[in-house]
């Protein structure tokens, strides 16, 4: 997102939120997006569904990176859209490899 595309009046806030979301966006780019969505649903305790083939599950190490990225959103004071306590609890289910 370019600065001129950000909402008028709050460019610094938009830039801060963009920076906080960057690690999660990088994971979406680096891995199969649908696989990331399945893993996010699991981390956020939305559901624990196994995708049908050819969608592959992500490794425990990648899930741990995702949980870390979500926890960083919390520390960056990004407006809360998820229950971070669930992420932290599920991060113990997906410990670092």
């Amino acid at each position: 997102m370019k600065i001129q595309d950000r909402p008028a009046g709050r460019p610094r806030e938009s830039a801060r939120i963009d920076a906080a979301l960057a690690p999660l966006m990088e994971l979406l780019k680096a891995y199969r997006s649908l696989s990331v969505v399945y893993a996010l649903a699991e981390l956020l305790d939305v559901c624990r569904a196994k995708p049908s083939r050819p969608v592959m599950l992500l490794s425990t190490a990648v899930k741990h990176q995702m949980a870390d990225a979500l926890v960083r959103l919390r520390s960056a004071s990004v407006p809360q859209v998820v229950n971070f306590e669930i992420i932290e609890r599920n991060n113990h289910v997906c410990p670092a490899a």
Side-chain angles (χ1 to χ4, degrees):
M1 179 182 287
K2 297 179 182 156
I3 296 217
Q4 62 266 25
D5 295 335
R6 294 190 178 119
R10 300 185 67 188
R12 285 186 186 166
E13 178 70 359
S14 293
R16 186 182 68 75
I17 292 172
D18 283 351
L21 287 169
L24 188 57
M25 297 306 293
E26 289 302 317
L27 289 168
L28 282 163
K29 289 179 197 173
Y31 300 96
R32 301 155 305 276
S33 295
L34 190 54
S35 297
V36 172
V37 171
Y38 271 94
L40 281 172
E42 182 180 330
L43 284 171
L44 297 173
D45 213 18
V46 173
C47 71
R48 295 188 185 274
K50 298 235 187 233
S52 58
R53 294 204 177 257
V55 178
M56 302 295 289
L57 294 173
L58 297 177
S59 71
T60 300
V62 174
K63 288 180 184 179
H64 187 71
Q65 290 176 342
M66 292 172 62
D68 288 344
L70 291 171
V71 170
R72 276 184 255 146
L73 288 176
R74 176 184 185 178
S75 64
S77 299
V78 172
Q80 187 167 347
V81 248
V82 296
N83 184 336
F84 289 102
E85 289 74 29
I86 289 173
I87 295 167
E88 289 168 352
R89 182 182 72 228
N90 287 341
N91 198 19
H92 297 292
V93 173
C94 302

